[in-house]
Amino acid sequence: MKGLALTFAILVPMVQLVAQDATPSFGATVPTSWQTDRFEPTTFALTNGTNGRNDVLNIGITSAGDAANRPAGLQGAFYNTQGRKMALGTAPGSFSLTADLWVESGWATNAAGSNNSVRTDMWAVGFDPDATPSDFAIVGFTNQDGAGLFRGWDSGLGTWTNFTNTVNYDAWNTLSLAWDANTSVYTYSVNGAFAGSFTGDASTIGIGEIIMQGYNFNDGTFASGSSDYTALWSNTPVGADVVPEPASMTLLATGLVGMAAARRRKRQA
């Protein structure tokens, strides 16, 4: 992982990449194609009719996964990251991952002692020709240090970069990461706008795994722990995922009744 250079949105416009979409359909793969990564979250399952979407991935982080409640030897911070991974093979070439995250308004701030720390991320694991992990790209949301924000991981520098992109609360936010095989550059975007980029390991040939996870802050080392929360992720294609709200269903039914009445009147005339 050499020659790492972080690029900010204020300096460079969004890079246009042609990449294979490696994002697996949650509806077709959860939970059977996913395996525990580090520690199993309390929930890793699908729900329908959630915030207008079907096949929504629920990652539940609860006290059951607290450091104090985990088996012996699993108390370390490594196991605070709780989620599942899915092997994608090692498809050579440029790739992208995209999913929508529902961000609750209650996640906007996190004062010390409020017990309201939240973090959830989507990972891409880059593989080298030997199918060995070569680098990681991670994009997600956290309010760990106070205000809620999106951020990305620079695997070469081993640091997080906070993005300045607007967080839409009580709404779906589209998070994307893409890797360009020609330049070895990872590019992050939020709601279609450039967020940041870094140069990855030159040995990477493609994506090997995707990881979806949440983080359990209840290990005694954080000023603010986390009460139970659920991260909601969706990647159902737009246009196929909207669940009619009750009011919409009522309007539809009313319209159908009106059309039927009009046809009857026409026949009787």
Side-chain angles (χ1 to χ4, degrees), residues 54-74:
N54 286 339
D55 293 330
V56 173
L57 173 60
N58 290 234
I59 305 175
I61 304 298
T62 74
S63 59
D66 291 356
N69 294 329
R70 297 197 292 261
L74 302 181

Side-chain angles (χ1 to χ4, degrees), residues 42 59-66 69 80 82 104 106-120 143-144 214-220 222-231:
T42 301
I59 305 175
I61 304 298
T62 74
S63 59
D66 291 356
N69 294 329
N80 289 341
Q82 300 173 0
E104 299 180 10
W107 296 357
T109 59
N110 174 33
S114 64
N115 204 42
N116 189 41
S117 294
V118 171
R119 173 188 153 191
T120 184
N143 63 6
Q144 178 180 348
Y215 195 89
N216 195 317
F217 289 90
N218 289 324
D219 72 355
F222 298 99
S224 178
S226 58
S227 53
D228 296 354
Y229 70 93
T230 300

Side-chain angles (χ1 to χ4, degrees), residues 212-250:
M212 305 298 298
Q213 56 86 18
Y215 195 89
N216 195 317
F217 289 90
N218 289 324
D219 72 355
T221 63
F222 298 99
S224 178
S226 58
S227 53
D228 296 354
Y229 70 93
T230 300
L232 302 176
W233 290 87
S234 169
N235 61 6
T236 305
V238 175
D241 57 349
V242 177
V243 178
E245 299 294 335
S248 300
M249 293 298 291
T250 300

